[in-house]
Amino acid sequence: MVKIVHTEAAPKAIGPYSQGIVVNNLFYSSGQIPLKADGELVTGNVEEQTHQVFNNLKAVLNEAGASLDSVVKATVFIKDMNQFQEINEVYGQYFHTHKPARSCVEVARLPKDVLVEIEVIALVK
């Protein structure tokens, strides 16, 4: 079973991809950046941007029939590793009891020059 995931509660894809896809019982999200559902970019500090990324992740996870509690793997892309602590503090607010596997990498540039992007893999109910 393959299902394309789309919700109006998260920003539309800004390219030829979907917000996420479910294959059998696994959900794979596209990387979420700090865009609001209406396409407005959150240009605040890295904490504000990370909170918006989690709002988007929660929306696509919900549409897929999953949640943050069912995430098994997260990949965090950050523009500046010096901001790791701030991102990690926000990340910990969403994954405070459930702690999925995670990778974190610094990248030269992210779409729309944002400071953070996160993608997840989750089990679907």
Side-chain angles (χ1 to χ4, degrees):
M1 172 192 100
V2 175
K3 173 188 167 191
I4 302 299
V5 174
H6 172 74
T7 177
E8 295 295 325
K12 294 179 182 176
I14 56 175
Y17 59 90
S18 59
Q19 292 170 324
I21 189 167
V22 175
V23 179
N24 297 323
N25 68 331
L26 286 176
F27 169 70
Y28 299 87
S29 79
S30 290
Q32 295 296 314
I33 63 173
L35 284 175
K36 294 181 181 179
D38 64 5
E40 178 187 350
L41 183 63
V42 173
T43 58
N45 62 37
V46 73
E47 292 94 341
E48 293 169 303
Q49 289 193 18
T50 305
H51 280 295
Q52 183 60 49
V53 167
F54 273 99
N55 288 338
N56 297 341
L57 286 170
K58 290 190 301 185
V60 295
L61 283 160
N62 182 61
E63 185 67 24
S67 69
L68 289 175
D69 288 336
S70 66
V71 170
V72 295
K73 174 73 164 80
T75 305
V76 181
F77 304 95
I78 62 177
K79 186 173 180 179
D80 182 355
M81 195 58 78
N82 291 320
Q83 295 180 319
F84 175 80
Q85 185 59 39
E86 292 94 331
I87 293 167
N88 203 44
E89 286 178 21
V90 174
Y91 182 96
Q93 293 174 27
Y94 295 92
F95 293 120
H96 55 279
T97 54
H98 170 68
K99 296 180 179 157
R102 179 180 79 182
S103 300
C104 181
V105 287
E106 180 182 62
V107 295
R109 194 168 180 203
L110 290 165
K112 298 193 176 279
D113 292 318
V114 300
L115 303 174
V116 61
E117 177 176 6
I118 301 174
E119 64 184 28
V120 297
I121 300 170
L123 292 172
V124 175
K125 301 172 189 169

